[in-house]
Amino acid sequence: MKLLVIGSGGREHAIAKKLLESKGVEQVFVAPGNDGMILDGLTLVNIDISEHCKLIDFAKENDIDWSFIGPDDALAAGIVDEFNRAGLKVFGPTRLAAELEWSKDFAKKMMMKYHIPTAAYVTFSDFEEAKAYIEEQGAPIVVKADGLALGKGVVVAETVGQALEAVYQMLLDNKFGDSGARVVIEEFLDGEEFSLFAFVNGDKFYIMPTAQDHKRAYDGDQGPNTGGMGAYAPVLHLSQSVVDTAVKTIIKPILEGLIAEGRPYLGVLYAGLILTADGPKVIEFNSRFGDPETQIILPRLTSDFAQNIGDLLEGKEPNITWSNGGVTLGVVVASNGYPLEYAKGVLLPAKTDNDIITYYAGTKFVENRTTLLSNGGRVYMLVTTADTVQAAQENIYKQLENQNTEGLFYRTDIGNKAL
Ligand code: AMP
Ligand code: GLY
């Protein structure tokens, strides 16, 4: 089998690596990928995720059995619909099913209609109306750009002033372009956050181990929101009954709702949840795997990944199994300055060859293919599995201390919430 993974980050590295380890898979292409992936035997294809026609031609010319779409922007742009129209098999939701992620307003309407627990909200496109609402509600309050904003379109405002500033930037200053032409203003929810992922085909779904991301840039959840600086799975201090409740009140009804709306879902569904005093509530839905959560979830998959996805694509019952031992934890190493301005071209340490996996995100080889340089905000991630969170932290942080991370930074407290 020959497979194609679309995307370029650590998430796609983890997906592609796991697929290549599957039985009967000869070659896994990644478009466009990043150079560090070559070290794991993956084949890069120099086509951008926005060039759907070129990707389709590539898949046809190279007899790709099926493709796996990583990033949200490709899904929002309808890449799955186009692959389907071209007669190609592809794992990911259609543009209409993916609207759950690309429009927060649509997601909220779905949750209201199908009685799925989430924060109360109102959507505005008029600044004065938004201002009046915020002044009436008071703080803390949450302001979100309606569209995709690379995880940066959310402001948890501690004061009315901060909330007004955020709305001003989105509605009047056009900070997020069209994504910020409407804002969702919602109730602040207090509780512990976790992520719940499922492989989905219509009304059938297969839950993955719970995961916890660390979205802020610096230790102690300080600094700006990022794509995610580290994660671990499973979140053992969340009881099975919390997961069962989330499945029953959130995952099942949203998938049934999508079917009722004529938008059946195929792909990975990602529920970003918060455990409030009234039980789990939805912060957001994403229509794809999380990054960096994928990198700590997929190493725990004990079944044949390519077989599982192939079965889902054919409407068969997949036999998906997970390791139930220990915990898998990963720490992202990012360029100094990320998620704002950062330099590229920092020399990266050699790949580890012990029981730590290196997933690459923003990397580039210099011509001779012996020297790997940083080429993005999040650069690489070290992942390991150990009996306890402490043991996993020790392995990873010892390794990081021995690496030359000049020009780069990482959080030193990934997993501390589980201690
Ligand atoms: P999102 O991009 O929607 O996941 O939001 C980014 C982060 O903002 C989340 O991970 C939460 O930490 C925070 N957040 C979003 N919505 C709320 C809310 N209603 N109450 C409290 N925190 C929130
Ligand atoms: N880890 C957060 C995300 O993938 O959106």
Side-chain angles (χ1 to χ4, degrees):
M1 256 194 304
K2 289 198 282 183
L3 307 176
L4 171 63
V5 175
I6 289 168
S8 63
R11 166 181 55 206
E12 287 75 18
H13 187 172
I15 293 167
K17 180 175 155 71
K18 196 76 184 176
L19 289 174
L20 190 60
E21 286 164 7
S22 301
K23 249 193 291 170
V25 176
E26 298 145 51
Q27 200 170 9
V28 178
F29 296 93
V30 191
N34 76 84
D35 285 357
M37 295 176 175
I38 296 170
L39 298 170
D40 275 330
L42 301 168
T43 312
L44 304 195
V45 181
N46 190 14
I47 306 177
D48 189 78
I49 62 165
S50 63
E51 297 182 291
H52 299 179
C53 292
K54 284 193 188 167
L55 290 167
I56 286 170
D57 288 345
F58 176 85
K60 285 188 169 164
E61 281 159 19
N62 291 278
D63 297 321
I64 298 297
D65 289 85
W66 46 262
S67 304
F68 193 120
I69 313 295
D72 48 352
D73 34 3
L75 296 164
I79 194 168
V80 167
D81 309 64
E82 289 184 45
F83 269 62
N84 285 337
R85 273 200 292 276
L88 294 168
K89 285 192 202 159
V90 58
F91 192 68
T94 60
R95 177 173 157 78
L96 282 180
E99 190 167 1
L100 213 47
E101 171 163 13
W102 59 259
S103 167
K104 288 190 190 292
D105 182 51
F106 173 75
K108 280 294 197 181
K109 284 191 175 129
M110 285 292 291
M111 287 187 261
M112 293 299 134
K113 186 164 175 187
Y114 295 97
H115 311 292
I116 292 165
T118 187
Y121 83 108
V122 186
T123 303
F124 294 93
S125 49
D126 180 80
F127 177 75
E128 290 303 325
E129 285 174 21
K131 179 167 179 267
Y133 180 77
I134 289 169
E135 282 168 348
E136 177 203 320
Q137 294 290 316
I141 193 160
V142 182
V143 177
K144 301 184 174 184
D146 174 47
L148 295 177
L150 293 172
K152 291 165 202 152
V154 174
V155 176
V156 180
E158 277 151 35
T159 63
V160 166
Q162 281 172 6
L164 293 179
E165 169 73 21
V167 172
Y168 182 88
Q169 287 184 352
M170 290 178 199
L171 288 182
L172 296 182
D173 251 6
N174 227 10
K175 187 172 170 196
F176 297 101
D178 285 349
S179 287
R182 288 195 296 179
V183 295
V184 169
I185 299 182
E186 66 177 43
E187 168 200 7
F188 172 80
L189 296 176
D190 196 19
E192 185 165 1
E193 281 182 56
F194 66 105
S195 310
L196 191 58
F197 293 86
F199 292 110
V200 176
N201 182 11
D203 62 350
K204 295 219 170 91
F205 59 90
Y206 308 87
I207 294 292
M208 306 188 204
T210 49
Q212 201 163 48
D213 189 11
H214 296 63
K215 284 198 176 145
R216 300 295 193 106
Y218 313 128
D219 284 8
D221 290 336
Q222 300 297 309
N225 258 322
T226 70
M229 294 297 295
Y232 65 96
V235 188
L236 289 171
H237 58 280
L238 288 175
S239 68
Q240 185 59 39
S241 90
V242 169
V243 177
D244 293 345
T245 304
V247 166
K248 191 167 140 234
T249 62
I250 295 165
I251 305 291
K252 201 165 178 299
I254 195 71
L255 295 177
E256 287 171 359
L258 284 166
I259 291 173
E261 302 291 321
R263 306 176 186 223
Y265 199 98
L266 173 72
V268 171
L269 179 71
Y270 167 164
L273 306 178
I274 192 158
L275 181 55
T276 71
D278 301 327
K281 293 191 178 182
V282 177
I283 289 191
E284 64 169 355
F285 282 116
N286 293 317
S287 56
R288 52 171 174 86
F289 253 133
D291 187 343
E293 292 97 324
T294 311
Q295 294 92 305
I296 47 100
I297 288 178
L298 281 185
R300 303 188 66 78
L301 185 80
T302 48
S303 50
D304 187 295
F305 190 34
Q307 177 77 46
N308 292 154
I309 301 300
D311 285 346
L312 284 162
L313 282 169
E314 290 183 15
K316 291 189 199 152
E317 192 69 24
N319 177 21
I320 300 171
T321 56
W322 300 98
S323 158
N324 52 17
V327 58
T328 305
L329 181 137
V331 177
V332 170
V333 181
S335 301
N336 280 345
Y338 171 78
L340 306 170
E341 301 262 300
Y342 55 83
K344 295 179 179 178
V346 172
L347 182 65
L348 300 183
K351 186 172 184 291
T352 61
D353 49 10
N354 47 24
D355 55 359
I356 295 178
I357 312 174
T358 306
Y359 291 116
Y360 291 103
T363 68
K364 194 163 185 54
F365 272 128
V366 286
E367 286 132 39
N368 59 12
R369 287 212 167 171
T370 53
T371 312
L372 195 61
L373 302 179
S374 69
N375 192 41
R378 289 188 289 182
V379 179
Y380 66 99
M381 181 177 189
L382 297 187
V383 172
T384 199
T385 299
D387 288 341
T388 62
V389 167
Q390 287 97 323
Q393 287 178 324
E394 257 168 53
N395 288 353
I396 298 277
Y397 286 121
K398 203 164 70 202
Q399 181 75 32
L400 281 170
E401 275 157 30
N402 288 330
Q403 291 188 338
N404 178 4
T405 53
E406 217 180 301
L408 308 168
F409 79 102
Y410 54 87
R411 277 182 63 160
T412 64
D413 63 348
I414 301 300
N416 277 7
K417 280 192 198 128
L419 300 180

